[in-house]
Amino acid sequence: FIMAYNGSEIIDCQSGKIIFRRTLPEALVPQIAELGRELGMHLISYNDNEIVSERPEGEYVQKEAFCCRTKVRRVERIEEALLQAPVKFISADEPDFLREVLPVFQERFGAEVNLFFSEPYFMEIVPREIEKAFGLSKIAEYLGIGREQIMAMGDGYNDVPMMRYAGLSVAMANGCEETKAAADHITCSNDEDGVAEAVKAYILER
């Protein structure tokens, strides 16, 4: 399975079937885009095989493109460039700036969306309830298994709910402090095969 966009979309890789998808409320999309323009944010969203942004030159926009191994297309108005209702927006900006704009978004949209940081420079704007723990619960429901049968591994801020949900949670040694604090165990860094070490220690050797 791929649990994409923090759980907004879940794909069964064997069949290619999308087993769950939740999008942002359609009426909010132009409002979010307009507020992003007013505040000077580097707002991005996604079509099938591309990232779209009105300001693709931003350092952190390019970082997201590098992480996703895809290109960013410059668009005039992001809400008009989307091929379907988006599963999320990201503001890819300086951490200090994002800490300032987060309360603005919470006041305006907090009752209708979920807002959180996945990195200090990525503010995620996703549908209500969406987070990785919610996505894992949907996969568990689909497979007919309990949370105690799930091991979660992570390193980022947005991994914390998932760590708390899973029966066993393992953080990378170079993960953020919040993630390590929420984990049952800490493995090697992701540059030292931390995921492989965790699979070996907590799955294969048991």
Side-chain angles (χ1 to χ4, degrees), residues 17 27 32 43 70 102 133 182 185 197:
K17 177 184 176 183
I32 291 170
L43 207 62
T70 189
L102 177 62
H185 302 282
E197 290 297 322

Side-chain angles (χ1 to χ4, degrees), residues 26-80:
E26 190 171 343
L28 290 189
V29 172
Q31 297 178 42
I32 291 170
E34 186 57 37
L35 182 57
R37 282 189 287 268
E38 288 176 14
L39 296 173
M41 300 165 71
H42 289 84
L43 207 62
I44 64 176
S45 193
Y46 309 83
N47 285 325
D48 290 338
N49 296 305
E50 65 176 1
I51 297 170
V52 292
S53 175
E54 295 171 15
R55 305 177 67 191
E57 70 284 349
E59 174 187 354
Y60 299 110
V61 176
Q62 291 300 315
K63 187 179 286 286
E64 172 69 355
F66 175 80
C67 292
C68 294
R69 294 177 173 81
T70 189
K71 293 182 179 180
V72 186
R73 179 166 64 93
R74 182 187 297 275
V75 298
E76 187 72 23
R77 297 177 67 82
I78 193 169
E79 68 273 31
E80 296 174 2

Side-chain angles (χ1 to χ4, degrees), residues 11-19 142:
I11 303 163
D12 181 333
C13 293
Q14 187 170 15
S15 65
K17 177 184 176 183
I18 296 175
I19 65 172
Y142 185 76

Side-chain angles (χ1 to χ4, degrees), residues 4 18 41-42 48 52 59 92 113 118 130 134 141 148 176 182 199 206:
I18 296 175
M41 300 165 71
H42 289 84
D48 290 338
V52 292
E59 174 187 354
V113 303
S118 53
I130 293 300
F134 182 84
E141 180 183 325
E148 69 279 357
C176 68
V199 169
R206 295 189 180 190

